[in-house]
């Protein structure tokens, strides 16, 4: 037979597609929904994540911040200038304590001075002033903006003047909110915000003054506008750590640990959802194309009998596969754009923000390529099967039955065809490539492909074992079971029935869908805890020991207060040595050595548990008995960043000096604070007996409704005028809103991914309907009634769903545990009722999907079906 041209092969492939439209519906649906989920989720999450990261940057007012207590040297300043010259900007913030007074009264007040460059500050977010005005207008060389508590304490109003240093400044506004309030200094005293020029004129920056300097950095728009912005931030951070070895460098993701954890969880889950959409689409394609090619074996046999070669036949079906993949992928991209457009409409009222719609060509290209590639990859094995089979054997396929075990047949098949092994390798490499493209990580792609191989092998083995046990069970109980039940169970391993493949496909689908649900549920629940209305948003500084109970009582009876106040004891100390090495000789990691002279120690509210909001990341917390014995055997727990800067780990010895007392404590644990509780303000926790008899200063925290914060400040000032109130309610409300938006998006996209997965799996089950035609014909010819055939099919579908659901749920919990604990760093909890409900729903959906595809077969007469065949 002469060589078959591509144009002729295309015509034959297109003619067969037109003649069998119904048979290709499941292939196109599987590809289209998989691609739509992939492009819709990826495209929308990309634009929404960009917006969320912008909101996260506003918490720090910059991309990065470098904090130091020393003036930069000319060499360091030149190095910073070189860094920002390549693209970006930098501005300086100066923070210090000073005394201020009214020009009509000489009573001084300790204030926290913050000097900025109003032309640049802030890079992200905005300073909210009352009355409303831009920062450039409010902060000049002769004007300042102050906290409303300063007006209260000095009996002033907007328009009056205060004396700061050797100059008088007119108050033009009060500061309602600053974007970087959380990342700035929580110093004692009301806030005074002024320009750098005004600070220079005040004379406060004398030689040797203890002023903290924060340098804010913003990357250029080009670096921010692409997916590598996080890499650009990380690169700049590394360069700054080298340039400023004693400075504390932090990026925008570290401004709020709760927000950072939420963003990390959302990013990981969205990547997971995209990969799940990809694999579920591949599962649907594999099942549907396998059924289609099995149906075309007669046509293939006829073509071979007429002299067609395997390569020519493969060319026809290869082009057909590409057409199906392209058609399904194109439809999926269109649906994906619709999904991306529809998400903001559904979520606009819920989120109160609408992300800009952006045509993410990268996501669409990956979606279209994934649709075509998965279709092609998963069609390779059945296509390659045709190469070594003679036409006469294909024609006899319906009557040839092998009694060999599944494993024997599998080994024989693999040994007999090295090409099949090559096809499997190509599929794995292709999936690894797609996974790497979807997750933007080669490592993730490799792990994903390897994990998929392991899971598929285990699922196939479990499916084979289940079918073998079922066969043994039927042999033992054949005479004791109703004939309908016996026939329905026997259908699972009848000749030609792809039960093992279908069980593996269903199990894989259930595993991934349930794993996504468990993971998103755990992430959302933990993030909802971090948005609780009981977490402190008002902090109190310098409460005397004899004022603690009075302040606590006032807070508990103040209107607008939610939850119980948190009161934190602090003992000031200094670090003398670590493992006998003096503090002056320690190798520190971005920590000014002078900071070792002002270490804040505290003790937890309960003797045997960490303070609220602290999670142990290394070591173990002490018991109640160890706490009682700590006067002679002191222990200490250290905040993670402090431990990293000091380079200490559990088991090491640290010597502290507080007043005239010295003690050496063993590091028991390293903990991660959530930055939302009052105890997050202390970096070192020891049992209470260790600090017995030492002078204590108390700090407080409470959650107050935003509208009642002014009343609370006035009440505290009237009863406790020496207590400083730090109001971060507005900033923390921004964090809370962003985290809530993340949780809504995760839930919505997870629901969409799960729905798409269910539809794909249902189409995979429905793709087996053509295999049932001959069985229905035989049963009807032998006199079986419709109710009997319906009962047989129902039992078969139900057992398929129950077995696949059980296997899938076991691996779903294993996968969710690995994802949550090791990849996303969230807690995993086994949920019995969730798993039982998912098991029942899987069986129900399997039966429903099978019947939706098969019920029309029962209405056909045997002769009609035989004529079609």
């Amino acid at each position: 037979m002469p060589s078959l041209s591509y144009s002729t092969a295309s015509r034959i492939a297109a003619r067969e597609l037109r003649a069998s439209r119904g048979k290709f519906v499941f292939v196109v649906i599987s590809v289209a929904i998989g691609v739509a989920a992939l492009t819709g989720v990826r495209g929308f999450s990309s634009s929404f994540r960009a917006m969320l990261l912008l909101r996260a940057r506003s918490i720090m007012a910059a991309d990065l911040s470098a904090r130091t207590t020393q003036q930069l040297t000319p060499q360091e300043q030149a190095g910073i200038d070189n860094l920002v010259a390549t693209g970006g900007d930098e501005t300086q913030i100066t923070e210090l304590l000073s005394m201020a007074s009214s020009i009509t009264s000489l009573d001084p007040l300790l204030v926290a001075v913050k000097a900025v460059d109003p032309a640049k500050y802030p890079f992200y977010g905005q300073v909210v002033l009352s009355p409303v005005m831009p920062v450039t207008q409010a902060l000049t060389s002769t004007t300042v903006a102050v906290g409303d508590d300063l007006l209260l304490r000095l009996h002033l109003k907007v328009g009056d003047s205060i004396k700061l240093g050797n100059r008088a400044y007119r108050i033009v506004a009060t500061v309602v909110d600053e974007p970087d309030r959380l990342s700035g200094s929580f110093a004692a005293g009301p806030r005074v915000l002024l320009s750098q020029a005004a600070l220079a004129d005040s004379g406060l920056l004398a030689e040797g003054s203890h002023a903290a300097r924060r340098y804010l950095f913003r990357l250029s728009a080009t670096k921010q506008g692409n997916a590598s912005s996080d890499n650009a931030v990380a690169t700049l951070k590394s360069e700054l750590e080298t340039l400023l070895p004693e400075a504390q460098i932090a990026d925008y993701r570290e401004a709020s640990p709760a927000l950072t954890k939420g963003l990390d969880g959302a990013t990981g889950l969205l990547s997971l959802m995209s990969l799940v959409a990809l694999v579920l689409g591949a599962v649907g394609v594999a099942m549907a194309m396998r059924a289609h090619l099995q149906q075309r074996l007669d046509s293939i046999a006829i073509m071979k009998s007429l002299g067609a070669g395997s390569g020519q036949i493969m060319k026809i079906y290869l082009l057909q596969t590409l057409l199906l993949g392209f058609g399904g992928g194109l439809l999926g991209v269109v649906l994906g754009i619709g999904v991306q457009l529809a998400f903001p409409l559904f979520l606009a009222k819920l989120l109160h923000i609408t992300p800009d719609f952006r045509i993410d060509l990268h996501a669409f290209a990956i979606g279209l390529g994934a649709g075509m590639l998965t279709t092609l990859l998963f069609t390779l094995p059945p296509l390659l099967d045709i190469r070594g089979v003679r036409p006469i054997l294909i024609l006899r396929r319906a009557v040839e039955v092998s009694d060999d075990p599944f494993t024997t047949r599998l080994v024989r098949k693999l040994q007999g065809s090295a090409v099949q092994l090559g096809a499997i390798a190509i599929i794995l490499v292709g999936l690894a490539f797609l996974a790497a493209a979807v997750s933007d990580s080669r490592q993730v792609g490799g792990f994903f492909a390897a994990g998929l191989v392991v899971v598929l092998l285990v699922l196939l083995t479990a499916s084979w074992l289940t079918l073998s046990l079922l066969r043994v069970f039927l042999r033992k109980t054949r005479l004791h079971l109703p004939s309908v039940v016996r026939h329905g169970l026997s259908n699972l391993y009848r000749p030609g029935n792809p039960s093992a493949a279908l069980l593996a496909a269903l199990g894989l689908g259930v595993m991934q869908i349930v794993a996504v649900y468990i993971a998103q549920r755990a992430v959302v629940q933990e993030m909802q805890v971090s948005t609780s209305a009981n977490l402190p948003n008002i902090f109190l500084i310098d409460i005397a020991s004899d004022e603690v109970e009075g302040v606590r009582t006032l807070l508990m009876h103040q209107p607008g207060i939610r939850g119980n106040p948190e009161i934190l004891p602090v003992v000031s100390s200094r670090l003398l040595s670590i493992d006998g090495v003096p503090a002056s000789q320690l190798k520190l990691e971005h920590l000014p050595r002078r900071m070792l002279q002002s270490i804040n120690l505290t003790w937890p509210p309960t003797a045997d548990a960490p303070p609220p909001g602290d999670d142990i990341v290394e070591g173990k917390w002490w018991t109640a008995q160890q706490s009682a014995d700590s006067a002679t055997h002191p222990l200490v727990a250290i905040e993670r960043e402090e431990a990293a800067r000091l380079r200490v780990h559990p088991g090491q010895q640290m010597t502290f000096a507080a007043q005239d007392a010295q003690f050496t404590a063993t590091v028991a644990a390293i903990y991660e604070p959530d930055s939302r509780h009052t105890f997050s303000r202390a970096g070192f926790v020891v049992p209470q007996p260790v600090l017995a008899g030492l002078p204590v200063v108390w700090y407080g925290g409470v959650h107050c409704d935003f509208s009642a914060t002014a009343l609370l400040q006035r009440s505290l000032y009237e009863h406790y005028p020496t207590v400083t109130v730090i109001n971060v309610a507005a900033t923390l409300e921004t964090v809370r809103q962003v985290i809530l938006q993340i949780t809504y998006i995760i839930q919505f996209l997870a629901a969409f991914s799960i729905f798409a997965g269910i539809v794909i799996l249902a189409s995979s089950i429905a793709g087996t309907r053509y295999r049932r035609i001959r069985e229905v014909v035989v049963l009807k010819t032998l006199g079986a009634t419709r109710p009997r055939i319906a009962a047989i099919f129902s039992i078969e579908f139900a057992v398929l769903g129950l077995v696949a659901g059980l296997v899938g749920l076991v691996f779903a919990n294993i996968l969710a545990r690995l994802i949550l604990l090791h990849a996303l760093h969230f807690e995993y909890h086994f949920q019995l009722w969730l798993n039982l409900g998912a098991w029942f729903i899987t069986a129900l959906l399997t039966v429903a999907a099978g019947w939706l595809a098969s019920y029309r077969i029962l209405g056909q007469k045997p002769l009609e079906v035989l004529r079609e065949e």
Side-chain angles (χ1 to χ4, degrees):
M1 188 174 180
S3 62
L4 189 68
S5 66
Y6 280 99
S7 60
T8 305
S10 300
R11 286 198 300 273
I12 297 174
R15 188 181 302 119
E16 188 171 286
L17 288 175
R18 289 195 300 270
S20 307
R21 294 186 183 91
K23 296 182 180 181
F24 297 109
V25 168
F26 301 122
V27 179
V28 174
I29 287 178
S30 297
V31 176
I33 294 180
V35 171
L38 182 63
T39 56
V41 169
R42 184 180 173 85
F44 180 74
S45 63
S46 174
S47 58
F48 192 82
R49 184 174 183 270
M51 184 189 63
L52 286 178
L53 293 180
L54 183 62
R55 297 286 295 273
R57 286 174 167 88
S58 69
I59 307 299
M60 180 176 274
D63 290 312
L64 291 104
S65 168
R67 183 181 181 85
T68 178
T69 55
Q70 305 294 329
Q71 182 70 39
L72 295 183
T73 64
Q75 293 80 6
E76 291 172 337
Q77 186 61 57
I80 288 180
D81 292 340
N82 289 334
L83 287 179
V84 299
T86 58
D89 207 349
E90 172 264 333
T91 187
Q92 177 183 337
I93 296 176
T94 307
E95 295 173 313
L96 71 157
L97 293 175
S98 182
M99 304 301 293
S101 62
S102 167
I103 58 173
T104 59
S105 170
L106 297 181
D107 293 334
L109 175 68
L110 184 67
V111 295
V113 177
K114 177 180 178 180
V116 302
D117 179 358
K120 294 184 177 181
Y121 172 84
F123 286 134
Y124 303 99
Q126 61 179 348
V127 179
V128 181
L129 303 174
S130 178
V132 177
M133 64 179 69
V135 178
T136 50
Q137 178 183 339
L139 305 183
T140 67
S141 59
T142 59
T143 58
V144 297
V146 302
D148 54 1
D149 50 345
L150 182 141
L151 301 181
L152 182 66
R153 294 188 177 214
L154 291 180
H155 307 287
L156 298 173
K157 63 182 184 299
V158 173
D160 292 342
S161 296
I162 60 168
K163 186 177 181 183
L164 198 63
N166 52 26
R167 290 284 305 273
Y169 300 92
R170 184 168 59 88
I171 302 171
V172 296
T174 58
V175 181
V176 178
D177 185 33
E178 306 159 70
D180 58 337
R181 191 69 173 101
L182 285 179
S183 54
S185 299
F186 270 24
R191 172 73 88 203
V192 175
L193 187 64
L194 73 167
S195 66
Q196 291 284 5
L199 178 63
D201 291 343
S202 68
L204 294 176
L205 283 180
E207 189 71 27
S209 61
H210 294 291
R213 294 170 175 84
R214 278 192 297 130
Y215 296 87
L216 303 185
F217 297 87
R218 177 180 61 183
L219 296 177
S220 62
T222 14
K223 292 185 178 180
Q224 288 295 346
N226 55 35
S228 63
S229 59
D230 286 347
N231 295 333
V233 170
T235 301
L236 179 57
K237 183 178 180 180
S238 176
E239 291 172 343
L240 285 172
E241 287 173 343
T242 304
L243 182 63
L244 307 174
E246 287 205 355
Q248 298 177 25
I249 314 295
D251 63 39
Y252 68 95
R253 298 168 64 84
E254 299 173 77
S256 171
L259 181 57
T260 299
K261 194 171 185 180
L263 283 170
D264 289 342
T267 302
L269 274 178
L270 292 174
S271 295
L272 174 64
M273 290 174 204
S274 296
L275 291 174
V276 166
L278 174 66
V279 174
L280 289 176
V283 169
V285 168
M287 296 304 297
M289 288 301 295
R290 189 174 187 273
H292 163 65
L293 287 173
Q294 288 293 325
Q295 285 294 310
R296 303 309 301 167
L297 286 179
D298 284 337
S299 299
I300 294 170
I302 292 171
M303 284 190 284
K304 278 201 167 188
S305 300
L306 295 175
S310 297
Q312 294 171 325
I313 296 173
M314 287 182 63
K315 184 183 291 186
I316 294 171
Y317 287 98
L318 183 65
L319 289 173
Q320 191 178 93
T321 298
L322 291 175
L323 286 172
L324 287 171
F326 180 75
L330 202 59
L331 178 60
V333 168
V334 174
L335 290 175
I337 294 175
V339 167
Q340 192 174 344
L341 286 171
F343 278 164
L345 297 179
F346 285 118
L347 299 173
K349 292 183 179 179
L350 188 64
L351 301 178
H352 308 295
I353 49 175
T354 303
D356 296 332
F357 174 73
R358 297 186 302 173
I359 297 294
D360 192 342
L361 296 178
H362 182 62
F364 295 152
I366 287 179
L368 185 58
M372 295 185 65
L373 192 54
T374 51
T375 306
L376 182 60
L377 288 174
F378 283 88
T379 310
L380 274 179
L383 276 177
L384 292 173
D385 271 341
I386 301 170
R387 298 175 69 254
V389 181
R390 292 174 298 169
I392 191 66
L393 294 180
I394 296 176
L395 293 172
R396 289 177 178 174
R397 75 193 184 281
V399 296
E400 287 192 346
V401 181
S402 175
D403 293 328
D404 293 335
F406 173 77
T407 50
T408 304
R409 285 183 278 121
L410 179 62
V411 170
R412 185 185 302 156
K413 187 174 181 179
L414 293 178
Q415 289 176 343
S417 178
V419 180
Q420 285 289 359
L421 292 174
I424 293 172
I426 291 173
I427 290 175
L428 296 178
V429 171
L431 285 177
F433 171 76
L434 286 174
V438 169
S439 60
D440 299 316
S441 169
R442 292 183 181 178
Q443 186 178 20
V444 170
F447 282 131
F448 178 77
L452 190 61
V453 172
V454 173
V455 170
L456 279 175
L457 287 176
V458 174
L459 284 171
L460 284 170
T461 304
S463 301
W464 168 80
L465 182 62
T466 301
L467 293 175
S468 299
L469 292 175
L470 187 60
R471 184 176 299 189
V472 172
F473 169 75
L474 283 177
R475 286 174 181 171
K476 299 290 185 182
T477 61
R478 186 176 298 277
L479 299 178
H480 304 286
L481 292 176
S483 61
V484 173
V485 175
R486 188 169 63 249
H487 195 163
L489 295 177
S490 299
N491 267 5
L492 291 171
Y493 54 83
R494 71 179 183 271
N497 190 7
S499 295
L502 189 56
L503 278 173
L506 283 174
L508 182 65
V510 170
M511 180 195 74
Q512 296 191 90
I513 291 173
V514 175
V516 166
Y517 181 80
I518 293 174
Q520 69 87 20
R521 183 183 175 94
V523 172
V524 166
Q525 283 181 339
E526 188 160 335
M527 286 196 292
Q528 285 174 341
V529 171
S530 69
T531 61
S532 169
N534 296 326
L535 295 173
N537 60 358
I538 300 290
F539 295 95
L540 312 178
I541 296 178
D542 292 339
I543 307 172
S545 295
D546 57 355
E547 296 175 328
V548 171
E549 289 306 317
V551 170
R552 191 192 304 271
T553 303
L554 184 149
L555 293 176
M556 293 181 67
H557 293 87
Q558 190 71 18
I561 297 296
R562 298 190 184 184
N564 295 320
E566 297 180 2
I567 306 296
L568 164 73
V570 171
V571 173
S572 182
S573 69
R574 62 188 187 276
L575 180 65
L576 298 182
S577 66
I578 298 177
D579 285 340
V581 179
S584 59
Q585 300 177 20
L586 292 174
K587 294 181 179 180
L588 305 177
E589 188 79 22
H590 302 292
L591 181 68
R593 204 168 296 277
R594 61 182 292 270
M595 300 294 290
L596 302 180
Q597 304 302 310
S598 57
I599 299 290
N600 288 333
L601 303 175
T602 187
W603 64 79
T606 55
D608 58 350
D614 293 349
D615 294 324
I616 306 301
V617 295
E618 192 177 349
K620 187 178 180 181
W621 202 262
W622 49 80
T623 63
Q625 184 59 46
Q626 289 175 317
S627 176
D629 298 339
S630 60
T632 54
H633 299 88
L635 298 170
V636 61
I638 310 176
E639 188 265 332
R640 183 185 60 82
E641 285 191 6
E642 295 284 358
R645 289 166 180 163
L646 293 170
R647 298 183 177 183
V648 296
H649 300 281
Q652 292 186 267
Q653 304 288 317
M654 303 182 70
T655 302
F656 298 91
Q659 297 293 317
D660 296 328
Q662 290 188 20
F663 63 90
T664 299
T666 302
V667 179
I670 309 296
Y671 65 88
E672 179 83 51
D674 66 355
S675 82
R676 299 291 303 276
H677 288 80
T678 308
F679 279 86
S680 300
R681 304 299 160 191
F684 298 81
V685 183
V686 298
Q688 185 172 3
V690 177
L691 303 178
L694 295 174
V696 180
V697 175
W698 298 78
Y699 292 73
V702 69
H703 186 95
C704 181
D705 291 341
F706 185 74
S707 57
T709 54
L711 178 63
L712 174 63
Q713 287 181 278
R714 292 190 183 92
S715 181
L716 282 168
Y717 173 67
E718 291 172 1
H719 294 86
Y720 302 98
T722 60
V723 174
T724 299
V725 179
I726 305 295
N727 183 358
V728 293
T731 302
L732 288 180
E733 180 61 20
T734 300
V735 174
R736 193 179 77 88
Q737 288 297 328
V738 173
I739 293 177
L740 280 175
Q741 289 158 7
I742 294 173
T743 63
Y744 292 144
I745 288 299
I746 288 176
Q747 289 174 308
F748 195 85
L749 295 183
F752 178 78
S753 296
I754 290 170
F755 170 75
I758 290 172
V759 173
I760 290 172
L761 290 182
S763 70
S764 302
I765 300 168
T768 64
R769 70 185 292 265
Y770 297 105
R771 290 184 170 274
R772 306 183 186 282
I773 293 176
R774 288 181 178 272
E775 184 179 356
V776 172
V777 169
V778 173
L779 290 174
K780 279 194 170 186
T781 304
L782 294 175
T785 60
R786 290 187 189 181
R788 184 179 182 84
I789 298 174
I792 292 171
F793 281 179
S794 296
I795 291 170
E796 179 185 352
F797 293 142
V799 173
L800 269 175
L802 289 172
V803 174
L806 180 62
V807 175
L809 285 170
V810 170
F811 286 101
N813 283 273
I814 295 173
L815 180 62
R817 189 178 188 276
L818 292 175
I819 292 170
L820 289 171
L821 292 181
H822 299 291
L824 303 182
H825 306 292
F826 285 85
E827 291 187 11
Y828 164 81
H829 299 286
F830 178 75
Q831 302 172 60
L832 177 62
W833 292 109
L834 169 65
N835 285 274
L836 289 176
W839 193 27
F840 173 76
I841 291 172
T842 300
L844 193 63
L845 287 175
T846 306
V847 173
W851 269 115
L852 284 174
S854 305
Y855 79 96
R856 291 183 60 188
I857 298 174
L858 299 179
Q860 292 180 290
K861 295 179 180 180
L863 190 57
E864 293 176 356
V865 177
L866 290 173
R867 282 173 176 171
E868 287 182 7
E869 289 290 300

